[in-house]
Amino acid sequence: MFDRLMDMTLATALIFSLILCMTTQKAGGQIVGANGEYKKSSRSSDLKAGRCSYTFIVPQQKITGALCVNTHSPIPNQSEVAALKLELKRQQEQLEKLQRQLEHEGSLATEVRALHKESNSMNSRIAHLYAQLLHEVIHKKDLAVEHQRFESLLLNVTAQALQVSSSYRELEKKYVALTSRISSQNQFIAKLEKQCQCRDSSQPSLVMTEPPKSHSNDHLNYSIKATIMTNDVQRDQSAPLHQRQAKTVEDQSLLTSTISPPTELPFVGFPVTKSPGPWRDCQHVLDSGETTSGIYLLRLQSANRLLQAWCEQSQAQGGWTVIQRRQDGSVNFFMTWEQYKQGFGNLNGEYWLGLEHLYWLTQQAKYKLRVFLEDWQGRQVFAEYDSFHLEPENDWYRLRLGQYHGNAGDSLSWHNNKAFTTLDRDKDSYAGNCAHFQKGGWWYHMCAHSNLNGVWYRGGHYRSRYQDGVYWAEFHGGSYSLKRVSMMIKPT
């Protein structure tokens, strides 16, 4: 009975041990001997297979040997393994896809961050530009208000200028009428002088040593008043009032002693010469042994006419025929076409020889031109052109120049091949009349680089609405009126 009880206890213990066994992978079973010592299982196949081993504890009374119970896991199914592998592969592919998508989305996120940063900078820039634009708009509004104010001022000034211009045109008309009257009076004086010469001279000569004294006082006073009135156009405006009055007294005394008709008529003050002449030009005078500068009688062979001219024998080896001279502003050069054609002024001072005389003079031979200039500091320069002549009046006395050399700078070649222009004969290339703005007669283009027949201003730099002084652009510029200038020609 005891044995049966032990058997039942042993069976119960075995079942209980089976239920409570624990699986240990990759470990061999352990054996506990009857004496309670642990021993390794001798089943190496079970250890190599990595299957679980179970250890059972039995009572020492009946069990004298080791008891090892191994439970083997069932062999897995091949189809399940393949399915698991396929599932694992699919999950790996999904994982790789997710990784690629994550990388792509990461780059997109980086770009989005960069765009967001750039957008912020652009927003700040736009805000800055908007502020600038707003400032400019406000500034433009201010300028528009200022512009409207200036426009109103300009309209007022324009209205005043129009009034002044209309007054000036009326004065010009009166001036032209007065100059025409003066010209007619000068012609009348010339006729009277010719009559006096024919009656009083024993020999038929045009040379006079004294001015005619047979004119009436009324005629002389009229000539004085007319000359002073025309000279007021180009009188020095910078001189004080008492100097202008003194200058007027000088002019009256000068005009009392000598009257200056056009240059086609005889001038007074001939030097004593070895031969009476007449000569072809001043070079002929020099070749005849006359070395004194002064007024000489010339006969133009090409036109068979007599005229007087100043011969300059002291500059540049002499032999120069002076065709224009400015030195004190005593003569008004704002003249008409007919006056520039025939000549005007005083051979002892300022004068213009005459375009018609100059044309016939340059037909005798090949001439060169020398322009003498002096500023108010005493500096003297010159400009020389190796050929010079004029075309006839039907071509408006067009200027023909050669090559330049000198130390004054070339301010006349720009006028080469240009017609002569006066206030009443506009032949320049400008839309208006250059003679009107330059206050003289010249071979104007558009308008002038030189204006030796302009207004004689005292002191050099002058203030005028236009550049109308006696200037040579390459020598002190157009706003500087020179002290002395002269134009001379000589055969080459």
Side-chain angles (χ1 to χ4, degrees):
M1 192 168 179
F2 178 77
D3 292 335
R4 290 177 67 186
L5 181 58
M6 288 299 294
D7 291 336
M8 290 176 63
T9 302
L10 180 59
T12 303
L14 286 174
I15 294 170
F16 184 74
S17 297
L18 286 173
I19 293 171
L20 298 179
C21 78
M22 296 180 62
T23 303
T24 304
Q25 294 181 354
K26 298 181 182 181
Q30 292 181 346
I31 302 173
V32 181
N35 54 0
E37 296 179 352
Y38 291 93
K39 294 183 180 180
K40 291 184 180 180
S41 171
S42 62
R43 297 183 62 177
S44 60
S45 60
D46 294 339
L47 295 176
K48 291 180 181 179
R51 292 183 176 84
C52 296
S53 300
Y54 304 97
T55 303
F56 303 97
I57 301 174
V58 295
Q60 292 182 351
Q61 291 83 358
K62 294 296 183 180
I63 300 173
T64 59
L67 178 62
C68 179
V69 178
N70 290 329
T71 303
H72 300 284
S73 62
I75 297 174
N77 192 354
Q78 295 295 331
S79 61
E80 293 179 357
V81 173
L84 289 174
K85 289 181 178 180
L86 184 61
E87 182 67 20
L88 180 61
K89 184 178 181 181
R90 186 179 65 81
Q91 291 180 358
Q92 289 178 351
E93 291 176 354
Q94 289 181 355
L95 182 60
E96 292 176 355
K97 183 178 180 181
L98 289 174
Q99 288 178 350
R100 288 194 300 269
Q101 187 175 0
L102 182 61
E103 292 175 356
H104 179 66
E105 289 179 354
S107 62
L108 288 177
T110 304
E111 292 180 0
V112 168
R113 284 194 296 271
L115 290 174
H116 183 67
K117 185 177 179 181
E118 186 176 357
S119 176
N120 290 334
S121 62
M122 289 297 292
N123 288 335
S124 61
R125 178 64 177 167
I126 289 171
H128 180 66
L129 291 176
Y130 179 75
Q132 286 184 348
L133 180 61
L134 185 61
H135 177 72
E136 289 292 332
V137 168
I138 296 173
H139 184 63
K140 292 287 185 181
K141 288 183 178 179
D142 295 338
L143 288 179
V145 174
E146 191 72 13
H147 182 68
Q148 290 177 357
R149 189 174 69 84
F150 278 114
E151 279 185 350
S152 61
L153 291 175
L154 181 61
L155 289 175
N156 295 333
V157 173
T158 304
Q160 295 176 1
L162 290 175
Q163 294 177 358
V164 173
S165 178
S166 61
S167 301
Y168 179 74
R169 283 195 293 270
E170 293 177 0
L171 290 175
E172 278 186 340
K173 292 178 182 178
K174 293 179 181 179
Y175 171 75
V176 171
L178 289 174
T179 53
S180 64
R181 290 180 61 184
I182 292 169
S183 178
S184 62
Q185 291 295 330
N186 287 334
Q187 292 176 2
F188 178 70
I189 294 171
K191 291 180 182 179
L192 291 178
E193 287 180 347
K194 285 183 179 180
Q195 291 177 3
C196 291
Q197 287 178 359
C198 292
R199 291 176 183 177
D200 298 336
S201 177
S202 59
Q203 294 181 353
S205 174
L206 292 176
V207 179
M208 296 174 57
T209 58
E210 294 181 359
K213 300 180 180 179
S214 60
H215 301 296
S216 64
N217 291 332
D218 294 338
H219 181 72
L220 181 61
N221 292 333
Y222 175 79
S223 299
I224 292 172
K225 292 179 181 179
T227 305
I228 293 174
M229 178 189 63
T230 54
N231 285 347
D232 284 340
V233 176
Q234 294 194 351
R235 190 172 300 280
D236 179 21
Q237 300 299 320
S238 62
L241 180 60
H242 65 277
Q243 292 185 9
R244 298 183 195 175
Q245 293 174 351
K247 182 66 178 177
T248 304
V249 174
E250 277 184 24
D251 291 340
Q252 291 179 352
S253 62
L254 178 64
L255 290 170
T256 303
S257 61
T258 178
I259 299 174
S260 300
T263 53
E264 62 179 354
L265 303 175
F267 284 78
V268 300
F270 279 94
V272 178
T273 59
K274 299 175 183 177
S275 59
W279 293 271
R280 293 189 307 272
D281 51 31
C282 292
Q283 181 64 47
H284 188 200
V285 174
L286 183 65
D287 295 340
S288 300
E290 303 295 340
T291 59
T292 304
S293 297
I295 302 171
Y296 291 86
L297 182 65
L298 307 180
R299 180 188 296 276
L300 305 181
Q301 295 178 345
S302 54
N304 195 21
R305 62 170 64 190
L306 294 172
L307 78 152
Q308 290 176 320
W310 182 277
C311 291
E312 182 58 52
Q313 311 290 19
S314 60
Q315 291 187 21
Q317 291 84 41
W320 296 97
T321 304
V322 178
I323 64 175
Q324 185 260 18
R325 182 165 55 203
R326 307 294 301 278
Q327 60 186 20
D328 54 13
S330 59
V331 175
N332 177 25
F333 274 67
F334 195 23
M335 293 294 187
T336 63
W337 178 270
E338 189 64 27
Q339 290 166 321
Y340 268 101
K341 175 183 175 181
Q342 300 299 334
F344 56 86
N346 186 355
L347 286 176
N348 287 307
E350 296 189 339
Y351 79 96
W352 175 260
L353 184 62
L355 292 168
E356 187 69 16
H357 300 148
L358 191 53
Y359 165 70
W360 288 111
L361 181 60
T362 55
Q363 296 301 307
Q364 297 182 138
K366 184 178 179 181
Y367 284 83
K368 60 182 178 180
L369 172 68
R370 183 181 180 91
V371 181
F372 167 80
L373 308 169
E374 181 181 347
D375 62 15
W376 288 87
Q377 286 73 39
R379 180 186 174 190
Q380 298 179 354
V381 295
F382 74 95
E384 195 167 301
Y385 300 86
D386 58 9
S387 67
F388 169 83
H389 73 277
L390 302 183
E391 299 296 338
E393 185 179 12
N394 57 16
D395 196 15
W396 315 110
Y397 298 113
R398 193 174 301 275
L399 176 64
R400 305 295 187 189
L401 280 179
Q403 283 293 111
Y404 158 83
H405 71 275
N407 59 358
D410 185 7
S411 292
L412 192 58
S413 293
W414 194 65
H415 300 266
N416 191 21
N417 302 320
K418 300 299 178 292
F420 200 85
T421 292
T422 60
L423 183 63
D424 55 338
R425 298 283 179 92
D426 184 7
K427 301 301 174 184
D428 55 58
S429 304
Y430 183 59
N433 188 342
C434 289
H436 168 77
F437 301 106
Q438 306 290 135
K439 298 296 184 294
W442 197 247
W443 296 276
Y444 293 117
H445 184 13
M446 293 182 65
C447 276
H449 284 181
S450 56
N451 190 40
L452 301 187
N453 290 337
V455 182
W456 189 86
Y457 290 100
R458 184 183 302 275
H461 292 286
Y462 63 94
R463 291 182 179 180
S464 177
R465 185 177 180 183
Y466 309 106
Q467 285 189 345
D468 52 8
V470 180
Y471 68 83
W472 188 268
E474 293 293 328
F475 184 54
H476 291 300
S479 60
Y480 187 95
S481 186
L482 298 170
K483 182 179 181 180
R484 291 174 57 204
V485 300
S486 62
M487 300 173 65
M488 306 174 289
I489 61 173
K490 177 181 178 179
T492 57

